[in-house]
Amino acid sequence: MIELSGLTKRYGLKTAVRELTCVIRPGLVTGFLGPNGAGKSTTMRMILGLDRPTAGRALVEGRPYARLIDPLTVVGALLEARSVHPGRTAYHHLLCLAQSNGIPRRRVGEVLDLVGLGAVGTRRPKGFSLGMGQRLGIASALLGDPRILIFDEPVNGLDPEGIHWVRNLIRRLASEGRTVFVSSHLMSEMALTADHLIVIGQGQLLADTSMAGFIEENARSYTRVRSPDREGLLDALTHAGLDAVPSRDPGAEGAWELEGDRTAAVGELAADRRLVLHELGHHRASLEEAFMRLTSQSVEYQAHVGAEEG
Ligand code: ADP
């Protein structure tokens, strides 16, 4: 379990993370979602003791990272900026890490096999592709067989096969009862991987919800209908007991929206009343849209601040 309470990080005047309070539970993949610059990496670095909170705290299995005994056996991490000594082979890199953390040598071979680098473990990381570098980073995270795993944007830059592999691995680690905390700026990616979501914008908590709850709330299904006789259409809908509200979509001015798929009912009603329709369709709001809506203010704010600074 990871517990954040009032976690705050300021860099000079800039508040990167603001009073973040939440719990990341075992046995689930928790997606950590937010636009670029929202404060995800900073939060993860504070959990891992790589950055000092300005206020609040981050606990890993009940303790601050700095007070963990054999930290690699408690929490493993893949951060975006990976540091692999370019002169070392993958095997040697992992062996050094194992030896300085009291992890048995045999574990090195095990994790190399686990991430599919068994055959290339004696090659130097310099000659590694991005995907292989990512696998080596994941092997380092898994070395101590930790109960908690933290992955910062693990699929960035990977090819479809690599993305698929990382997704399956992440799901498997959670199904083994581990705490898995994965950041991404892509809702579509999280929708396929996460059970639970923590969304931040401008360093602040925007949502802490199950993925199923987020989908139910945000991926709403609705019918959109538009007629040149806008009021006549509303009158007909209301008389037929069909509740309609004006569309808030900027691209659908003058249209009405009804919950769920009512296209058949509306089409038949329009024919009966000889109403001309310019549009009638069933829509489903995408999770990406819902995410953009949730975080749009923080993005606009950042763009604005950026413009002022420039
Ligand atoms: P994310 O991982 O969500 O993209 P980050 O945690 O990297 O976001 O950054 C959050 C904010 O904090 C950004 O505005 C970034 O510019 C700022 N920031 C991060 N690290 C530093 C630092 N070392 N010094 C100053 N500002 C920083």
Side-chain angles (χ1 to χ4, degrees):
M1 184 149 81
I2 304 170
E3 294 158 274
L4 312 181
S5 55
L7 192 67
T8 300
K9 180 70 189 182
R10 279 191 287 274
Y11 293 108
L13 290 177
K14 164 102 205 164
T15 304
V17 177
R18 192 187 298 263
E19 292 176 27
L20 203 55
T21 299
C22 58
V23 174
I24 297 117
R25 296 189 167 77
L28 301 174
V29 177
T30 299
F32 193 26
L33 208 55
N36 282 325
K40 304 180 296 296
S41 301
T42 305
T43 302
M44 288 181 156
R45 292 174 57 81
M46 287 192 283
I47 296 170
L48 294 164
L50 297 167
D51 246 336
R52 248 174 115 78
T54 311
R57 60 183 189 172
L59 300 182
V60 180
E61 303 290 47
R63 297 178 186 209
Y65 186 91
R67 284 216 242 119
L68 294 175
I69 300 157
D70 293 333
L72 286 200
T73 64
V74 181
V75 49
L78 173 76
L79 294 185
E80 252 196 308
R82 282 174 296 285
S83 57
V84 173
H85 195 292
R88 283 184 191 156
T89 65
Y91 183 87
H92 194 59
H93 168 75
L94 292 173
L95 185 62
C96 288
L97 209 55
Q99 285 175 336
S100 53
N101 285 276
I103 296 163
R105 175 186 278 261
R106 62 165 171 75
R107 184 71 190 147
V108 173
E110 278 175 23
V111 292
L112 280 172
D113 285 339
L114 200 68
V115 302
L117 288 181
V120 295
T122 48
R123 253 203 255 164
R124 295 181 199 289
K126 224 172 15 184
F128 272 24
S129 67
L130 182 66
M132 284 160 80
Q134 200 79 333
R135 283 173 195 251
L136 178 57
I138 291 172
S140 313
L142 296 176
L143 194 61
D145 198 16
R147 302 287 306 153
I148 300 184
L149 287 147
I150 295 180
F151 297 121
D152 197 3
E153 303 271 2
V155 302
N156 256 12
L158 294 186
D159 58 15
E161 192 267 333
I163 292 174
H164 188 71
W165 179 80
V166 169
R167 234 183 246 151
N168 284 344
L169 176 76
I170 285 174
R171 295 234 40 93
R172 195 171 77 226
L173 292 166
S175 72
E176 291 167 358
R178 298 176 212 258
T179 302
V180 186
F181 194 36
V182 190
S183 79
S184 178
H185 62 283
L186 297 173
M187 182 71 214
S188 47
E189 180 51 40
M190 283 293 107
L192 295 170
T193 322
D195 306 295
H196 195 88
L197 280 183
I198 290 172
V199 186
I200 63 169
Q202 276 183 76
Q204 273 176 296
L205 188 69
L206 297 178
D208 181 350
T209 171
S210 70
M211 190 73 221
F214 188 83
I215 290 174
E216 194 174 324
E217 212 165 288
N218 293 290
R220 76 185 182 95
S221 134
Y222 62 95
T223 299
R224 192 157 74 201
V225 58
R226 198 157 49 88
S227 165
D229 182 3
R230 188 169 185 267
E231 295 312 315
L233 173 61
L234 179 64
D235 191 51
L237 290 170
T238 310
H239 269 92
L242 295 165
D243 288 333
V245 295
S247 172
R248 277 176 298 172
D249 187 333
E253 225 163 284
W256 299 104
E257 283 181 10
L258 300 85
E259 283 299 312
D261 182 2
R262 310 307 303 266
T263 44
V266 174
E268 282 161 26
L269 180 70
D272 280 352
R273 299 286 193 103
R274 303 186 61 78
L275 278 163
V276 173
L277 296 187
H278 284 176
E279 179 186 350
L280 174 61
H282 176 226
H283 300 260
R284 198 172 275 284
S286 78
L287 292 179
E288 205 71 50
E289 267 173 56
F291 170 58
M292 296 296 272
R293 229 182 6 252
L294 189 63
T295 57
S296 62
Q297 274 178 324
S298 55
V299 174
E300 275 161 26
Y301 170 82
Q302 293 223 333
H304 181 64
V305 170
E308 266 183 3
E309 280 169 357

